[in-house]
Each structure stands twice: as structure tokens, then as C-alpha cells.
Amino acid sequence: MDTAFHARAGVRVGCDIGGTFTDIVLAMPDGRLYVNKTSTTPENLGLAITRGLQALIDQAGIAAGDIAEIVHGTTTASNTILQKVGARTAVLTTEGFRDVLEIARIRTPTMFDLGWSKPQPLAPRRYRRGIRERIDAQGRVVTPLDEQQLLREVGELAGEGVAAIAICFLNSYINPAHERRAKALIEAAFPSLLLSVSCDVLPEIKEYERTSTTVVNAYILPAMRTYLARLKDDLARMGVTASLQVMASNGGMMGIASATEKPVFAVASGPAGGVAGAAQIGALSGDRDLIVFDMGGTTAKASIIAAGTPSLTNEYEFRDGISAPSRFIKGGGYVLKVPAIDIAEVGAGGGSIAGIDAGGLLCVGPESAGAYPGPACYGNGNDRPTVTDANMVLGYLNPKALAGGSLAVNAGLSRDAIARHIAAPLNLDVLAAAHGIRQVANVNMARAIRAVTVERGRDPRDMAMIAFGGGGPLHAVSVARLLGITRVIAPIMAGVFCSAGMLSADAEHNFVKAVLRRLDDCEPAALAAIADDLRVQGRDILASEGYANAAVETVVFADVRYLGQSSELTVPLAAGALDASALDRLKDDFNAEYARTFGYSSDEPLELVNMRVSAYGRSGQRLDFGHCKVDASALAGESGVRMVSFSADEPPRETRLVPRGALTRQKMDGPLIIESYDTTIVVPPRCSAHADGVGNIIIDLHQETA
């Protein structure tokens, strides 16, 4: 059982591993905050955490044992899938259904791309075995489980080096008896095998989505378990015995026990922390509708906050290129039917490499220079230009050192890389080539924002943008102008904001039960019983993580669709008794949500597909952005002037350098370069900037240029 960390005041730590930097925020009980950026160590991801954490322990003057909780956003799960380095995974399914994973939904993400190839299944066909058993759609046993065949097949798979097995029998969401029996038999006969069972991971209708999610869970199980166990050991050697929490894809936290059993719920771990924090900032500033823009060293992410709540989805695809949980574009990746913040992601970050493609066109990303060797200006042997090098040549970045002086750079190496690989082949001068790299990156990032706004029926011009990550405030105004946005917020601790956001999140677990009945045929009492059972499950798991019953809050949702449809929308059920009037309100709420999403609604009968419950563990220890005090060293930066090129059509101009801590409520007109330890904020000409009462930097784009 995890330590009841929230029962006592203590030091809390948020850490987020990115492709280039590992960001750590240390929060003292009195609201003081210390921040650190350490180069990510790909060979041992936990090493960057322990290095950065030790630096903060020394800076804050505390003991390692004073840390009560660590909230961690990890890329271990996502990197395992992207790099195809997961476990050798097998699938046991109902006889005749071994190819469900490969057939998928017979969709392609683009209609006319003749060069597109379907992603290879994470479990090859030779490791997918059909087992004689059958349960029908009503949950009745048609064919008993052939236990001898099951054990024979598993024995063969174990002999071929399989390490993890996904068990996905037909209709197990209604009756899991065969999956439970198979799990017990395998655990007894082959205790070294890791098992991922669909009735535990995703007890929902839709055979392909359930199979895909269960297989992804099995594929990343060993990597996640090994990583978290090693991290816990490394922290213990430092004297840190704090409760270790993992950020989930839905924007909440979950205990290490849950993360090691169901890592599929943490594939989008890191970015979710930033969105959770952005919702808190929006509540403080009165911005209830926000575009969230997070640009790091490897990727850029976009999401939206509507009416103060992050946009959520119950299904998304994890894939290369642009990864978006769009309801309209599917087939390009691995389906994960799990609750997640609706985030679109593109391979455009500070370390994204620029080059000339076979057609002679300038392209940027998705290949990244990462933390090592990093951009050319790092001087670690990479001579290819990156987005960071373009920003260095244009004058946006400090030409001597980054991260508060801890990372020495050489601007001359950036100029050489761009001149050799971009400017010379395209017959451009270096400044024009650098502007070209930056513009291509900006357009790619605007594409991610359109995926969560325009594709969702929302006009970005009606929303403010909150920009964070090491590169977010560096590019925010340029991206905002591409979309017609007139207000940009660079939040407090923008460069490490995902880590800070994790400290503002609550523990959250989600539970689901299939119903699959016409709404007008549902008995309110039966639905209330389902909801109560799911609530009990939520309270039990939060109790195991140290939360008292009084600290637990539950919210009930329903997955609803028009009868005959194959996809559903998730609608919250109003608080109170689940009676006939609640079902009437559910019908009205679904029709309103359907009209908002698709532009129309219907009077067709409704079908209730699933009941859901989200259980939240609340705590008074969460980070309050309205009362935090950032250490002065994190707000320091250079003063003076620097020559900066804001346009390829104009010569560089003398631009004022301002430390972030020097900004007040008094507006300052651009151009400005605002420096701090964790990021650089660019305020171009025809913009103004000021600080609000919390410490966020507000940038107003003049209307005539938006």
C-alpha cells in the first residue's frame, strides 16, 4: 500500500522526462518553488531525475527524506511503442478471431496516399493463437474453454521466447469467466509470463479496440515495470522514500501499483500534466476557453480547455507523425480505448532537424537531435541544423548559454549548420534560411492546433492561447498569428510547466461497465446499482493509495449513441438520484452534445452503451498557482539589447532584453526578448506584454496584425 502522503504536509516534486530536457519542480509546504532543467539521459532515464532532484535538494536546503510525494510524467510507455522495443507479445483469442488485430477497422488516415502502409501489429501473427471457447453476446457459454489446448499453446509460445500475453476472448466484457480461468491456469503453470487480460484492462464492447488496447498494455508492461522499479531504487539510494505517483493520460495521478499493472493508461503521461495545470491557470485568469500549446525539444502538442474543463476522449490513436484522437481520422496507428486528454501531437520541437527532401523542398522533423548530440549549437558532434539553431541565428536565444547558464552553446555552429545544409542548397542567405526553418515548424505546429479546434468545430480566433514548454513561448506569437489568435499567455514556470501542472492534479481512476440497452428500456434502479458498484471500486483503489473516504469524489458518465450507430459520445450524468428524470436529462444532454459535435441532432431512439465512473482523490496539498512563490533565480535573465531578426524582409533590429522577474502589470511594447531560467519569451513588434497578479506573462497581439 502506498504511503498516505497527503496526511502530512511535506515537500512535493513534479518531474517530466522530455526528449531533450528532464524538467523538475520542487514545491515547499509554504508555497516556495524551485525549478531545474537537466539534459535527458536516454541510456538511463532515471539518471536525469536523480541528478536534477539532487540539485534542487541542495538549492532548497532540505533533506531527501523531507520529500513526501513525487509525481512523475514518463515517456517510457510511448517511447517503447515508437521505438518498437517492447516485449515479445502473444495474443490468445477465440478460435477464428486471431486476425482481428490486423484487420482492424479497414480504414486509412488519408484517402489518396498510395504510399501509406498499415502499422505492423505489436503481436506478430505467429504469436496470435485461437483458443477453442465461445461466449455469446448475452454472456452464455456456447463452447467451454479447452484448457488443455490453452496450456499447450502457451507452452509453445513460452518456448519461442514470448514474455507477455494478452488474453482477449470474444464477448468477455459481458461474461469474463473464460478469461479469468485462462489467467488462473497460465499463472499457475507459467508464473514468469506477464499477463494482460481484457476484462481487467478494458471491459467494453468493440472487439478490435479492446484487443488493441490489451495488446498495447501487454507490450509495454515489462518496460514500464522495469523502469519504475529502477527509479524507485535510485531514489531510495538518495534517501528519498516518498510516495511515487504516475501521471495518467486523463490528467490525473495514479499510484505506482496501478501504473505497473495498466501502463496503457499512462502512454500520454507527460503532456497531460501541462493541460491539467493550464486549466488551473485559466480559472485564475478568467480564461475558460483556452488553446493549450506545449512545445518541447522533440514534439509540439495542442489541446483545448472548454468552459474551464480539458477536452477528454475515450479513444485515441498512438502513431508517428501527427498523433490526434480525431473522431474523423482513423486507421494510422495503435488504438488505445482509454480515457485521455484530447491532445494532438506533431514531430516539431526545438531539436527537430531541418533538411531538404528529395523534391528539393525544405522540411523540418519529425527526426530530432534529442538531448544528445542535440542541436548543432550544443557542440556535441551534430552538424545538421535544428529549430533551436534557427532561433539562435535569428537572435531569439542567448548566444552563450541556455537553461540559466548551465548549458553552454556556440551560435557560430548554428550558423555553419544552416549555411551548409539549407542556405547553400537553396541559394539563400543564412537569415532567410533560418526564417524558413522557423516558418515550416510554425506551420506544422499550427496544424496540430487546427486538429483540436477547427476539426472539432471550434474557432481558434475566439480563444486565448496558453503556451509553455521550453519552446512554446518562443514560437507562440508566430503560431497565434497564423491562426488569428490575439491573446497569448506564457504561464508561470512556462519552461517546466508540465511538471508544475502535475503538482496541481488530483488522483484519478476510471471504471466502466457495459450495458448495451435502449435507453428507454433501462431500469433506473439497475443503472443506479451499476453506478454504485463502480463507485465502490473507485473508493477501494483510492483507499489503497492512502485516501480517506471523505477525500474521494465520484462522477458518473454514460456512453450514449443513436440506435444503430457504432460510435458513442460520453455525457456526464447530473448529480443526484439516478431516476427517470435523470435519464430524461441524459437524453437532452446527449442531443445537445451531438449537435455541438456534428452540427445536428435527431429524434432517433438512444442506446446506452456503457456506464462510467471517475473517482477522484482530493487533497489540500495540491499546488495552488495563485499562491506559489517561484525562486528568484528561476526568474532571472539578461538585461541589455541584442540584434534580432523578426522578418526575412527586414534587417535585424536592436531589441531590448528583459529578465522575466522585471515585468510588472505595466504594459511594455515589443519587440522584447524576455529571458528566464526555463524558457525565452518572444514579444515581436506590434505586440505588448505585461505580468498579471499570478506571474503569468500576457501578450496582446495588435488587432490589425492578427
Side-chain angles (χ1 to χ4, degrees), residues 17-29:
I17 297 179
T20 304
F21 285 103
T22 292
D23 302 333
I24 305 178
V25 174
L26 186 147
M28 301 290 285

Side-chain angles (χ1 to χ4, degrees), residues 461-487:
R461 295 172 296 183
D462 298 333
M463 309 172 79
M465 175 193 288
I466 181 166
F468 51 85
L474 197 63
H475 288 255
V477 172
S478 297
V479 174
R481 280 181 167 155
L482 290 172
L483 298 163
I485 298 167
T486 59
R487 188 165 183 261

